Amino acid sequence: GEIVEQLGTTGIYTNPFGPLITGASKLGSADEFSFFEVPEAPGFPFDVFPGAPAVTRGATIVFKGNYTVGIGKTGVYYRDLVNAPIPLDGTSLAPAGGTGPVVLIANNTDTTIPGTNTVFGSTSPPSAAKNQAVFAGFDDEESPTKGGIYLAPLTGTKPPLTTLVSIGAQVPGENTAARFNRLGEGVSFDGRFVAFWGAWGTATRTVRLYCPTEGNK
């Protein structure tokens, strides 16, 4: 049979200085673009940037990135696109995104879930505001027993994580036996409040969908 290989590119793009610029890219394996590389795996590029990125401080992007080093890896990162300090005369920031590196917040290689010795099994696309990021992370994405939603200051590599809500936490407004066993990946954060989806309990119901005899099954 015929083998067809298709190659493409993906990235994160923004226009904090006017023209559209590249905030993150798959070019991290190229020497001249090493600032796009995976910070915990020098020389390796990101494969894809799932979900929607976030922005804070006007020109700092926060995003989820997946990459491959033998096996698939994932993490949450940020990158400051300002390549020069704000001039004292108040003129515009330096353009073009600069050469500042991607910075790691948390990953499924060596970042442990707060309060445990278990490494994250998955991370989710973050929300960001006021120089902070919020993201969900779990030991097992499909059937989590540990993990939750975490707050991280955007300062330095692998900043300390603060737990906002966790798997096993009591559900507000319910009886004391009601504990979160699912938390959604999508979170919304405005710098003070965070909104999220959560579920609890074991009750299920059967839903049957009947396909038509004609059409796309």
Side-chain angles (χ1 to χ4, degrees):
E2 181 183 7
I3 297 176
V4 178
E5 182 174 305
Q6 294 179 323
L7 299 177
T9 188
T10 184
I12 297 172
Y13 308 94
T14 184
N15 61 343
F17 314 111
L20 193 66
I21 61 172
T22 301
S25 169
K26 292 177 63 174
L27 296 174
S29 58
D31 290 342
E32 60 270 35
F33 296 107
S34 61
F35 49 89
F36 287 138
E37 71 186 5
V38 178
E40 66 270 36
F44 283 85
F46 286 102
D47 295 326
V48 68
F49 306 96
V55 64
T56 183
R57 295 190 296 203
T60 297
I61 57 171
V62 191
F63 58 93
K64 175 179 177 175
N66 291 354
Y67 61 99
T68 305
V69 181
I71 60 174
K73 298 287 187 178
T74 186
V76 180
Y77 307 84
Y78 71 95
R79 181 169 180 255
D80 188 358
L81 304 182
V82 179
N83 64 3
I86 300 174
L88 295 179
D89 62 4
T91 57
S92 63
L93 303 177
T99 57
V102 174
V103 182
L104 170 66
I105 298 175
N107 63 15
N108 71 344
T109 299
D110 56 13
T111 306
T112 55
I113 297 172
T116 77
N117 294 319
T118 302
V119 174
F120 280 112
S122 67
T123 57
S124 66
S127 182
K130 297 183 180 179
N131 202 29
Q132 302 173 97
V134 171
F135 70 95
F138 309 101
D139 58 339
D140 186 313
E141 188 173 12
E142 297 299 324
S143 300
T145 61
K146 300 175 184 178
I149 298 172
Y150 303 95
L151 173 73
L154 300 181
T155 54
T157 298
K158 293 182 70 173
L161 303 179
T162 299
T163 303
L164 302 181
V165 60
S166 60
I167 296 293
Q170 184 176 347
V171 180
E174 299 293 322
N175 63 60
T176 56
R179 304 283 170 166
F180 285 118
N181 55 25
R182 291 288 191 278
L183 295 169
E185 286 196 348
V187 296
S188 182
F189 176 59
D190 70 352
R192 180 182 179 188
F193 297 100
V194 61
F196 64 95
W197 175 92
W200 63 96
T202 58
T204 61
R205 65 191 180 101
T206 301
V207 177
R208 290 185 173 87
L209 302 178
Y210 296 94
C211 298
T213 55
E214 295 181 310
N216 187 342
K217 293 184 180 181

